[in-house]
Amino acid sequence: MESVRLTAEVFVDTGKDFRPEDSLQAEYSCVPGETVKLSFDLTCFEKTVGFRFDPLLEDSSMVKLLGITLCYDSAPGETREGAQEAKAPGEKRQIPLERIKTNSDVDLEPIYVYLHHDPKFFVDEALCTHLIGAEVEFQVLELGVEQKDYWLDIKKNHVSQRERDQILGKLEAAMEENRKLARENRRLKIEHEDIYASGIWKLQHDAKGPVKVLLSKANLGTFFAAVYVALISELFVFNNAYYSAPRPNGEVLVFQFFRFGMVFLGAFLLILLIRGAVMKRYRHELY
């Protein structure tokens, strides 16, 4: 299961209804079923009398709303009955689901299915005065649900409470199975990369051919680095022998290929091991 790039948007009613100029967007990446937390600073709006949250703008979807938390300034807000709800400065309040409305096609609270590309959550206007911030927490469970016929059938037919609970149970089980499969796929990808990078397998199966693999930038860099280390070590031996005192007269300093080759081989293998460990760690972080 791959991560997808999506866009969320909040709208604030400043007394002129919900307008594009009174909105804030936030891009996010998530794997279906992964919990997303977004925060919005609403201090840029002088007046707030309504709040709307659009979880994604790109596709039809199935969304699980985990919570909407609003942050207020010190001013009081009014309930529908006109009573005052005192709010402390910077108070945060999680909005109950019964005070949130949505335009879903199938309501399996707290899971909502949208067979269109414009999902919206409206918070009760009585709770939207004097806002200075908002936090939303949700999960995108599935995308492209408008192409699934069974959602159309569920929308057309009345679903009893028992059937609703069964559907929710099946959804939770399916999402858990998908998460397990995603973890197993990541593990298999890492193992595949480790086997492929081992050398012989890469030479036999790389589409570029063995010559291009051997002459790749990484291998050439490793080769020249090992040569450099071997030459430096040989020059170090020469330097010590030349400046040693006393030094026998007539001693000839001879380049020893065996010593150079052993140092080169050791340096080459050491660099390969270090490079392999670094790449393995990188692949683990990548997947």
Side-chain angles (χ1 to χ4, degrees):
M1 203 180 306
E2 296 183 356
S3 177
V4 291
R5 189 76 175 174
L6 300 171
T7 306
E9 187 171 17
V10 295
F11 289 83
V12 173
D13 184 357
T14 60
K16 301 178 182 179
D17 207 353
F18 296 109
R19 307 181 302 169
E21 51 265 39
D22 296 325
S23 67
L24 300 172
Q25 288 190 354
E27 292 186 349
Y28 62 95
S29 297
C30 72
V31 176
E34 181 182 39
T35 300
V36 179
K37 295 181 181 180
L38 299 176
S39 299
F40 297 91
D41 183 4
L42 306 181
T43 55
C44 56
F45 303 103
E46 296 182 0
K47 181 181 179 182
T48 62
V49 296
F51 180 84
R52 188 183 104 196
F53 171 62
D54 298 0
L56 67 154
L57 311 178
E58 288 81 3
D59 202 350
S60 59
S61 58
M62 178 168 59
V63 176
K64 182 176 182 179
L65 182 64
L66 300 177
I68 295 179
T69 301
L70 299 180
C71 185
Y72 302 88
D73 62 10
S74 58
E78 292 188 359
T79 63
R80 288 182 175 177
E81 292 76 16
Q84 296 292 317
E85 290 185 0
K87 301 180 179 69
E91 176 191 354
K92 290 185 178 181
R93 180 177 300 182
Q94 184 164 0
I95 309 302
L97 287 179
E98 58 268 19
R99 306 292 292 272
I100 301 174
K101 305 298 180 183
T102 185
N103 61 340
S104 63
D105 293 288
V106 180
D107 185 351
L108 302 170
E109 183 180 322
I111 295 177
Y112 306 94
V113 180
Y114 303 90
L115 303 178
H116 52 82
H117 291 206
D118 192 21
K120 304 174 183 177
F121 290 100
F122 299 88
V123 177
D124 191 336
E125 292 181 356
L127 302 173
C128 297
T129 56
H130 307 289
L131 298 179
I132 58 175
E135 297 176 358
V136 291
E137 188 174 356
F138 61 99
Q139 295 176 349
V140 179
L141 301 180
E142 188 178 3
L143 294 172
V145 297
E146 63 181 342
Q147 303 171 2
K148 309 293 177 61
D149 294 336
Y150 57 85
W151 285 119
L152 293 174
D153 294 337
I154 293 174
K155 178 183 178 182
K156 293 177 183 177
N157 300 285
H158 176 71
V159 179
S160 65
Q161 181 66 30
R162 182 179 178 182
E163 292 174 323
R164 174 179 173 273
D165 293 339
Q166 289 177 346
I167 292 173
L168 284 176
K170 291 179 180 179
L171 286 175
E172 291 292 342
M175 292 305 302
E176 180 61 28
E177 185 66 23
N178 285 338
R179 285 190 284 270
K180 289 181 180 178
L181 291 175
R183 289 193 293 267
E184 182 66 15
N185 285 336
R186 285 196 293 270
R187 185 184 67 81
L188 292 175
K189 283 183 179 179
I190 293 171
E191 289 184 357
H192 173 267
E193 290 292 332
D194 292 340
I195 294 173
Y196 183 70
S198 61
I200 297 177
W201 177 274
K202 187 174 179 68
L203 289 176
Q204 292 178 346
H205 296 82
D206 199 296
K208 297 179 181 179
V211 176
K212 289 187 177 180
V213 172
L214 287 173
L215 299 180
S216 64
K217 291 182 179 179
N219 288 337
L220 288 177
T222 303
F223 174 80
F224 287 117
V227 170
Y228 177 78
V229 171
L231 285 175
I232 290 298
S233 65
E234 193 69 17
L235 289 175
F236 179 77
V237 173
F238 272 32
N239 185 71
N240 285 344
Y242 183 80
Y243 289 103
S244 63
R247 180 165 62 91
N249 294 330
E251 179 182 357
V252 179
L253 299 179
V254 180
F255 183 86
Q256 296 187 13
F257 287 96
F258 178 77
R259 183 174 57 199
F260 174 84
M262 294 301 293
V263 174
F264 166 79
L265 182 61
F268 187 81
L269 292 177
L270 180 61
I271 295 172
L272 280 181
L273 290 174
I274 295 175
R275 194 183 76 183
V278 172
M279 292 304 297
K280 184 176 181 179
R281 181 176 179 84
Y282 171 75
R283 286 192 294 272
H284 276 274
E285 292 178 353
L286 183 63
Y287 293 109

